[in-house]
Amino acid sequence: MAADAQFPPPKVLTYPASAPPSLITQGAEGRVYKTTHLLPDRPSALKYRPPKPYRHPILDARLTKARISSEAKVLERCWREGVPVPPVYAMDPAAGWMMMEWIEGIPVRVGINEWLGERPEDGEEPAEAAEEAPLIDLMKRIGTAVGALHRTGVVHGDLTTSNMMLRQRKEDQVNGGTGAESKAKAVAGDVVIIDFGLATQSMADEDRAVDLYVLERAFASTHPRAERLFATVLESYKHTFKKAPSVLIKLEDVRLRGRKRSMLG
Amino acid sequence: MGRAITGADHPVVLYVLGGNTQVIAYAEQRYRIFGETLDIAVGNCLDRFARALQISNDPAPGYNIEQLAKQGGRVLLDLPYAVKGMDCSFSGILTRAEELAAQMKAGNGKGPDGEPFTGADLCFSLQETVFAMLVEITERAMAHVGSSQVLIVGGVGCNERLQEMMGLMAADRGGSVYATDERFCIDNGIMIAHAGLLAYETGFRTPLEESTCTQRFRTDEVLVKWRK
Ligand SMILES: Nc1ncnc2c1ncn2[C@@H]1O[C@H](COP(=O)(O)OP(=O)(O)OP(=O)(O)O)[C@@H](O)[C@H]1O
């Protein structure tokens, strides 16, 4: 395959497996493959940071190793403390990869857009509360997931609706149903947070507030039509741990600073 | 301006002047800042380091560091690497590099191989580290906006090693790097005049008596009408 020649996969994926690995994404930082190299009946996601030719080899090796092991360490800690994240199955930091659970489902971003896509264009009149219930419930689940993350002392560093997946539930896997039912499926499932490449450990209100601010801005630019629902995310976040209310107060400062910065520099 | 000279079409711009370090890309009528330094500029870091090593200012400290670095490279000294998303910081690196320079002068500086290192090794290590950071944040911005072109603007952009590293990164992404040469890297007057001319052509007018000077214009404040 031409793509393979241009992007050689890590050595571990060159061994035989029940199905060939498939390249899912190619970002700036690295690539994600779906593979069954661990167990034939259990697909996993392999995150690989290939060497960067522009970097001095010693610096490159040092950074790759540190980043893979820090990401795996954060995931392990979250997993142990009950934060919804994919568990780590295996890793080789020196070779630049780690393997984790493959989340069967769609990114939250896609789910929300699918839901919104079927709404009438006007967007002026807020829909009936009952009609919006599944979307509002998703907002609550997002707030709870982020709260669980912060409670363990981890800040994500890059919270967006692309870095959250909706893990499909068994009962939602059957197709069909009425229009409203199939629409509700777009936003159903457990929220799982992924991509801890920029995560750090912190319990500071400020760092947590910045984390929320990043999500808020990402939400506003990705889903302008659902922006008003972000308050629901914050409302459910507020009840997830003791210091959450003071994080939300700090968030107001952070917002103000963000606005000032874009005006003055 | 950089676009006019180099012919680059939709580049991500790495802007590395003495006083500023930013990664900029064009989206929706404005140049948007994707990343920037959280403390001192990279040029400032290099200048201050040159002072610590008593490297001459003639013709420029950055140029002399570059020449000296070419003689180094036996070892890569461990310096902090500080990238946060698309932002970066240089003050911690400067502090560590100054410490190493002081150790070297005191005659007790040892590299990772246990052998004494030289000023050239320090220059080499500093360049490798800070340029890797600049290339990394530039690459992130390129992935973000889906561009494979980079334009380097500013004095530090004249550094051949930075251009080479940027070239390797861009080639990896199937693109290329554009750099302006010394004549344009440094002259702010030409840049302002060029921007003014482009604005004039789209019908933007400021009577002379109303013209003022805003030193603190941020890159993303200017409405760019001359691009689609
Ligand atoms: N555990 C997983 N299960 C299923 N899909 C996943 C998993 N992890 C990552 N993905 C998919 O791969 C994409 C990229 O993953 P991730 O964000 O972790 O990588 P990245 O290289 O840091 O990406 P980026 O540079 O875009 O931030 C995700 O958007 C998702 O679609």
Side-chain angles (χ1 to χ4, degrees), chain A residues 24-25 27-30 32 45 47 86 100-103 107 158 162-163 165 194-195:
Chain A
I24 303 297
T25 59
E29 273 292 284
V32 174
K47 191 158 177 173
M100 63 196 137
E101 182 199 71
W102 175 261
I103 309 290
D158 189 20
S162 302
N163 282 335
M165 304 276 299
I194 61 166
D195 191 4

Side-chain angles (χ1 to χ4, degrees), chain A residues 6-7 26-29 49 51-56 58-59 62-63 67 198 261-265, chain B residues 36 76 78-81 85 124 128-129 132 135-136 139-140 143 161 165 168-169 172-173 216 218 221:
Chain A
Q6 203 190 343
F7 307 121
Q26 156 82 37
E29 273 292 284
R49 293 176 182 271
K52 295 284 183 189
Y54 65 83
R55 258 189 320 233
H56 190 286
I58 294 177
L59 179 61
R62 186 183 112 202
L63 290 174
R67 287 174 177 179
L198 295 173
R261 196 165 121 132
S262 68
M263 277 162 54
L264 291 173
Chain B
E36 60 189 326
L76 183 80
D78 221 350
L79 293 169
Y81 186 96
F124 173 81
E128 289 300 312
T129 308
V135 176
E136 178 171 354
E139 184 173 21
R140 289 233 170 106
R161 176 61 181 144
M165 288 167 78
L168 286 167
M169 180 275 283
D172 219 22
R173 305 187 61 81
R216 295 176 53 83
R218 268 179 70 98
E221 268 180 68

Side-chain angles (χ1 to χ4, degrees), chain A residues 45-104:
Chain A
L46 182 134
K47 191 158 177 173
Y48 175 50
R49 293 176 182 271
K52 295 284 183 189
Y54 65 83
R55 258 189 320 233
H56 190 286
I58 294 177
L59 179 61
D60 189 59
R62 186 183 112 202
L63 290 174
T64 301
K65 194 173 162 186
R67 287 174 177 179
I68 289 286
S69 46
S70 107
E71 186 169 353
K73 208 176 286 167
V74 169
L75 278 174
E76 252 170 51
R77 171 174 177 164
C78 288
W79 171 247
R80 231 182 11 240
E81 306 216 11
V83 184
V85 299
V88 177
Y89 292 157
M91 63 169 151
D92 185 346
W97 61 261
M98 70 172 189
M99 246 184 233
M100 63 196 137
E101 182 199 71
W102 175 261
I103 309 290
E104 205 57 66

Side-chain angles (χ1 to χ4, degrees), chain B residues 40-88:
Chain B
I40 59 174
V42 64
N44 193 259
C45 171
L46 294 175
D47 290 356
R48 283 161 67 181
F49 170 74
R51 234 172 288 148
L53 268 192
Q54 278 132 12
I55 292 172
S56 146
N57 272 335
D58 181 33
Y63 178 81
N64 291 330
I65 291 177
E66 180 177 5
Q67 300 317 312
L68 207 52
K70 287 180 183 162
Q71 300 159 28
R74 182 183 53 82
V75 287
L76 183 80
L77 301 164
D78 221 350
L79 293 169
Y81 186 96
V83 167
K84 257 193 163 190
M86 290 195 215
D87 295 327
C88 53

Side-chain angles (χ1 to χ4, degrees), chain A residues 7-254:
Chain A
F7 307 121
K11 193 158 171 246
V12 59
L13 293 187
T14 61
Y15 299 115
S18 61
S22 54
L23 181 60
I24 303 297
T25 59
Q26 156 82 37
E29 273 292 284
R31 304 179 210 144
V32 174
Y33 293 88
K34 182 178 183 181
T35 141
T36 52
H37 275 75
L38 199 61
L39 288 170
D41 60 349
R42 178 173 287 224
S44 54
L46 182 134
K47 191 158 177 173
Y48 175 50
R49 293 176 182 271
K52 295 284 183 189
Y54 65 83
R55 258 189 320 233
H56 190 286
I58 294 177
L59 179 61
D60 189 59
R62 186 183 112 202
L63 290 174
T64 301
K65 194 173 162 186
R67 287 174 177 179
I68 289 286
S69 46
S70 107
E71 186 169 353
K73 208 176 286 167
V74 169
L75 278 174
E76 252 170 51
R77 171 174 177 164
C78 288
W79 171 247
R80 231 182 11 240
E81 306 216 11
V83 184
V85 299
V88 177
Y89 292 157
M91 63 169 151
D92 185 346
W97 61 261
M98 70 172 189
M99 246 184 233
M100 63 196 137
E101 182 199 71
W102 175 261
I103 309 290
E104 205 57 66
I106 53 173
V108 167
R109 171 181 48 84
V110 174
I112 295 179
N113 285 342
E114 251 170 53
W115 170 279
L116 292 174
E118 295 174 30
R119 315 236 84 225
E121 269 306 319
D122 57 69
E124 299 295 319
E125 283 167 57
E128 298 271 331
E131 229 178 273
E132 274 197 327
L135 185 58
I136 289 174
D137 194 69
L138 173 60
M139 298 298 129
K140 288 185 186 156
R141 293 188 326 268
I142 293 174
T144 310
V146 176
L149 177 73
H150 284 180
R151 190 180 55 219
T152 63
V154 171
V155 292
H156 185 278
D158 189 20
L159 282 178
T160 61
T161 47
S162 302
N163 282 335
M164 295 175 193
M165 304 276 299
L166 282 168
R167 187 194 272 130
Q168 222 174 50
R169 293 177 191 139
K170 286 269 173 326
E171 63 268 27
D172 291 326
Q173 280 173 6
V174 276
N175 283 326
T178 68
E181 277 168 11
S182 79
K183 208 177 87 175
K185 273 179 203 163
V187 291
D190 298 321
V191 172
V192 181
I193 305 175
I194 61 166
D195 191 4
F196 285 73
L198 295 173
T200 47
Q201 310 224 353
S202 168
M203 301 267 216
D205 283 357
E206 165 79 19
D207 296 334
R208 289 168 166 166
V210 169
D211 225 18
L212 291 177
Y213 182 62
V214 168
L215 178 60
E216 181 172 75
R217 285 203 320 190
F219 197 90
S221 61
T222 327
H223 314 289
R225 285 164 64 201
E227 199 177 345
R228 68 201 151 78
L229 292 180
F230 194 75
T232 312
V233 173
L234 297 179
E235 182 55 32
S236 82
Y237 175 87
K238 192 175 177 176
H239 304 291
T240 48
F241 63 106
K242 209 167 123 240
K243 283 182 73 192
S246 68
V247 173
L248 292 179
I249 292 170
K250 193 79 188 177
L251 176 61
E252 286 168 26
D253 287 356
V254 174

